[in-house]
Amino acid sequence: MKNKLNELRAEFLEELSRATNNDHLRDLELKFLSRKGQLSELMGGLKDLSAELKKESGELANTVKKELQDKFEEMKKSLNSYVSKTENIDVTLPGNKISQGHLNPITLVQNELEDIFSSLGFMILDGPELESDYFNFTALNVPPSHPARDMQDTFYVDQKNKDGQYDLLMRTQTSPVQIRAMLKYGAPLKALVPGRCFRNEATDARHDHTFYQVEGLLIGKDISFANLKSFLELVGQKLFGPNTKLRMRPKFFPFVEPGNNGEYTCFLCQGKGCRVCKYTGWLEIVGAGLIHPDVLRAGGIDPEVYSGLAFGFGLTRLAMLKYNINDVRLFNSGDIKFLEQF
Ligand code: PHE
């Protein structure tokens, strides 16, 4: 009898430990603890025992019965609280946070420029990154074997045309879209062209083979150098604040005449001189000039009737200045720790 009681106890506890829902519990109750269950049945046999054995086994039977009932109740409670926890959904609890992507610093600066220039009536245009030698150089007044091609170390595509020439390249500048825009829209024209450019640079903290520029183009009647100056002043003030000053220094670009570099008072030190402007007080920001008559002609526009101005920003450089980024290679590194800061 005692052995049987112990066996039953062990079996019950084993099955109880595997119970995961109320149905299991009900089955267990029926099988072991109910009036017709195994425990009752065993205890029914007590009456046939000798007085001494009856006393001993009876005592054990009662402790076992109590233990099993207590354990059963305990399990019932914990199962029910589990069930009620999962079944009652608190709709006011905050949801799981979904981590969201966000804009790259280059895109942020690009968006800012697009806003400024659309408010001045400019179209925002796009152009191909895989470009023809003609649009990237020849139409921009840089004929084959012109030394100005050396200013930009170019990635050519390893594929000859029917004349045996390599004429496809990764564009080195956004300027080819000047020609594309003129051919497509004619004059007058106001266009801004942000885009990715490529040069065969030895990379370091300030140079990368892949970077962004923004090209600007304004064509109309009687556009003069005075217009270029006042326009660049306005752009500087919109970008860096109303006290920003412009200085223009001559610079050769084959597709403009005259050409210049536009420098703005350093927005960090207000022109006093700091590490970022190399203690000059000025930041070299924009290449610009009046569009060369040959370039207008290549775009199908008569330089006797129309004139225009063009300028080009290093968008990547602008983002570096604005966000104080000291290594250009970070932009293309895909480093989440870097990107998450913007
Ligand atoms: N495309 C020139 C460069 O990459 C910049 C530029 C654009 C200069 C338009 C003048 C006019 O350096």
Side-chain angles (χ1 to χ4, degrees), residues 218-232 248 257-258 260 289-291 306-310:
L218 190 155
I219 298 172
K221 286 190 173 149
D222 300 324
I223 302 293
S224 71
F225 202 80
N227 294 125
L228 175 63
K229 181 164 185 275
S230 70
F231 185 77
L232 289 182
M248 299 167 93
E257 182 58 39
N260 71 279
L290 292 181
I291 303 175
Y306 288 103
S307 53
L309 59 90

Side-chain angles (χ1 to χ4, degrees), residues 152 173 175 178 199 213 215 253 255-256 287-289 310-312:
Q152 304 176 358
Q173 50 189 352
S175 305
Q178 286 190 27
R199 287 185 200 179
Q213 285 192 342
E215 194 84 6
F253 297 103
F255 29 90
V256 286
F311 53 90

